[in-house]
Amino acid sequence: MAAQGEALTASGYIQHHLTNLAVGEGFWTWHIDSLLFSVGLGALFLWIFYKVGQKATVGVPGKLQCFVEILVEFVDGVVKESFHGRNPVIAPLGLTIFVWVFLMNTMDLIPVDFIPHAAAQMGVPYLKIVPTTDLNITLGLSLSVFFLIVYYSIKVKGIKGFTKELTLQPFNHWALIPINFVLESVTLIAKPISLALRLFGNLYAGELIFILIALLPWWSQFVLSVPWAIFHILVIVLQAFIFMMLTIVYLSMAHEDH
Amino acid sequence: MSINATLLGQAISFALFVWFCMKFVWPPLMNAIEERQKKIADGLADASRAEKDLVLAQAKAGEQLKAAKVQAADIIDAASKRRNQIVDEAKHEAEVERAKIIAQGQAEIEAERHRVKEELRKQLAVLAIAGAEKIIERSVDAKASADIIDKLVAEL
């Protein structure tokens, strides 16, 4: 199943599958494939939900509307359960994260060579179709969440309150302010990092296993790839849910005044 | 694997998507869901109220049926009483009528009898006079004894 002439060895094949289609130099490198699939899937999700929302009836809903409403109600229920406050951003944010991350993860279930090979035929040298196996994508999401955490912390508690939270928290004594600050900063920074790495790690590992399975002879691949794909259905939903859930919990904590 | 500008692109598109979702996707869907929930709640409340109404209506109907039955029995009672009364009255009237008719008949018979008696008396007087005339034809002047005959007739 090796794709390119220059990458017929196993390590070359794996390396090829893990390389993004990139333009630019240094920091200003853009992973065209990750961005394209990520934005495309996000737009697909919003387009479908927008269409359904425009045609939504109060009476007996259609099947698609039912499906969309189940998702909306599910996210709304989770938000109502874990977020104690009034903020109209949280629930749509949760829905966007859940569905978008789920769709990006789902790309993992497409056989690893289908789209990259088709793209290679059209002259595209590299193509990574699962955006969530790109650390930049997951970090982009989690840093946005981090920004929201800081923004709402300051908005709800004020700069003074936020500073107090960072400096007077576990040990409420002026002498221990530096220690508190280090501890709380680590807690704060760990949130986006762990969010991004958890999603990235799960999906990257899953993708890698699919690539390794693709190295087997074609007639034996299904023995491993089918159970792994079925197991992976659980992983992609779970990871999307965890990302949404933790975002909601973190933002809920940001809204809590001590 | 390196951190690069892809991160910024993802963050920007994330912000736009969340904004779009919050503005155009969430409200219509949530409205539809909440409105339907309200509709269903109303429908359920209506249904339970209708059920209560039905029970009440059934009880009322049963009561009315019972009352109607009692009323019907009363009417039947009154009717049979009235019938007896009418029959009694008719009997009484008929008896009175009968007595009247009998009395009338007897009066007629009496009158007839009286008339016949008078007739007979007249005829008997004529016969008696005729007989007497025959007996005393020669000696008695009819004209002279006419007053006697009249007296006899009157006495008869």
Side-chain angles (χ1 to χ4, degrees):
Chain A
M1 285 295 285
Q4 299 309 102
E6 13 98 29
L8 276 166
T9 59
S11 69
Y13 174 76
I14 294 169
Q15 199 63 47
H16 179 261
H17 269 285
L18 294 179
T19 309
N20 282 100
L21 178 67
V23 293
E25 287 288 316
F27 177 76
W28 293 108
T29 310
W30 301 85
H31 290 165
I32 303 292
D33 47 2
S34 294
L35 278 175
L36 202 74
F37 278 102
S38 137
V39 172
L41 289 168
L44 177 76
F45 144 63
L46 286 175
W47 179 68
I48 291 172
F49 274 52
Y50 177 74
K51 280 271 169 205
V52 171
Q54 293 303 300
K55 284 190 281 182
T57 60
V58 177
V60 181
K63 289 190 176 78
L64 183 61
Q65 194 188 334
C66 263
F67 172 71
V68 167
E69 279 182 5
I70 286 169
L71 282 175
V72 169
E73 275 207 283
F74 165 68
V75 173
D76 193 49
V78 169
V79 170
K80 276 193 181 127
E81 218 171 83
S82 0
F83 186 81
H84 309 290
R86 295 189 139 267
N87 193 332
V89 182
I90 306 302
L93 176 78
L95 180 70
T96 309
I97 288 175
F98 182 59
V99 181
W100 194 18
V101 170
F102 170 72
L103 285 176
M104 291 194 283
N105 292 351
T106 308
M107 299 303 287
D108 213 3
L109 293 177
I110 297 174
V112 284
D113 273 315
F114 271 24
I115 295 175
H117 196 69
Q121 298 295 320
M122 288 185 288
V124 180
Y126 298 104
L127 196 68
K128 235 174 113 184
I129 62 162
V130 192
T132 38
T133 57
D134 185 344
L135 189 58
N136 291 298
I137 295 294
T138 57
L139 259 179
L141 289 172
S142 69
L143 286 180
S144 304
V145 172
F146 176 69
F147 169 76
L148 283 176
I149 293 172
V150 174
Y151 172 77
Y152 281 118
S153 288
I154 293 172
K155 195 184 169 197
V156 172
K157 301 160 198 161
I159 294 204
K160 218 174 125 193
F162 187 45
T163 318
K164 260 188 194 164
E165 196 181 85
L166 285 180
T167 50
L168 295 174
Q169 253 198 7
F171 312 110
N172 196 356
H173 190 272
W174 61 267
L176 292 165
I177 281 175
I179 297 171
N180 285 339
F181 184 70
V182 170
L183 283 173
E184 282 296 307
S185 297
V186 168
T187 309
L188 192 66
I189 305 294
K191 284 173 184 173
I193 302 293
S194 67
L195 261 185
L197 288 180
R198 181 182 302 108
L199 183 59
F200 164 75
N202 272 283
L203 271 292
Y204 191 80
E207 177 78 349
L208 202 61
I209 301 234
F210 274 122
I211 293 167
L212 291 176
I213 291 169
L215 286 170
L216 294 169
W218 64 268
W219 45 266
S220 65
Q221 285 178 15
F222 74 95
V223 177
L224 289 171
S225 68
V226 167
W228 182 242
I230 291 170
F231 173 68
H232 218 64
I233 292 172
L234 178 72
V235 173
I236 59 178
V237 181
L238 196 66
Q239 286 307 318
F241 176 72
I242 288 173
F243 203 106
M244 175 193 74
M245 193 68 210
L246 284 177
T247 302
I248 294 168
V249 170
Y250 289 159
L251 286 174
S252 175
M253 280 157 72
H255 278 73
E256 266 162 28
D257 215 339
H258 297 285
Chain B
M1 194 54 54
S2 56
I3 303 301
N4 56 37
T6 312
L7 188 153
L8 297 177
Q10 176 71 2
I12 291 166
S13 47
F14 182 46
L16 287 176
F17 284 160
V18 170
W19 171 80
F20 185 88
C21 183
M22 194 180 86
K23 211 83 183 159
F24 301 107
V25 173
W26 191 265
L29 286 169
M30 216 55 212
N31 279 346
I33 291 171
E34 272 165 5
E35 227 162 289
R36 188 172 323 107
Q37 278 174 337
K38 204 175 146 284
K39 243 179 155 180
I40 290 170
D42 287 355
L44 286 176
D46 281 353
S48 68
R49 208 173 48 226
E51 213 172 329
K52 258 180 228 157
D53 283 358
L54 180 69
V55 170
L56 281 179
Q58 272 173 341
K60 211 172 164 187
E63 255 167 48
Q64 277 182 343
L65 201 66
K66 221 184 272 174
K69 266 181 190 160
V70 169
Q71 213 175 0
D74 282 358
I75 288 170
I76 288 167
D77 266 12
S80 68
K81 237 180 239 168
R82 180 89 186 110
R83 191 200 58 181
N84 288 345
Q85 209 179 349
I86 287 170
V87 168
D88 283 356
E89 266 172 26
K91 247 186 216 163
H92 183 67
E93 257 171 43
E95 242 151 59
V96 167
E97 194 71 9
R98 194 185 62 148
K100 228 196 245 168
I101 288 167
I102 289 169
Q104 209 178 350
Q106 275 174 341
E108 266 171 28
I109 289 165
E110 193 64 27
E112 189 69 10
R113 203 169 63 109
H114 195 71
R115 205 180 51 80
V116 169
K117 213 164 125 188
E118 205 75 6
E119 192 95 353
L120 280 171
R121 191 193 283 160
K122 263 181 197 164
Q123 282 179 6
L124 191 63
V126 172
L127 276 174
I129 288 164
E133 263 177 356
K134 270 175 188 158
I135 294 165
I136 55 176
E137 204 163 314
R138 270 151 289 179
S139 59
V140 178
D141 188 14
K143 270 169 199 166
S145 55
D147 60 328
I148 302 169
I149 289 162
D150 281 341
K151 232 187 234 171
L152 272 170
V153 168
E155 268 170 31
L156 274 168

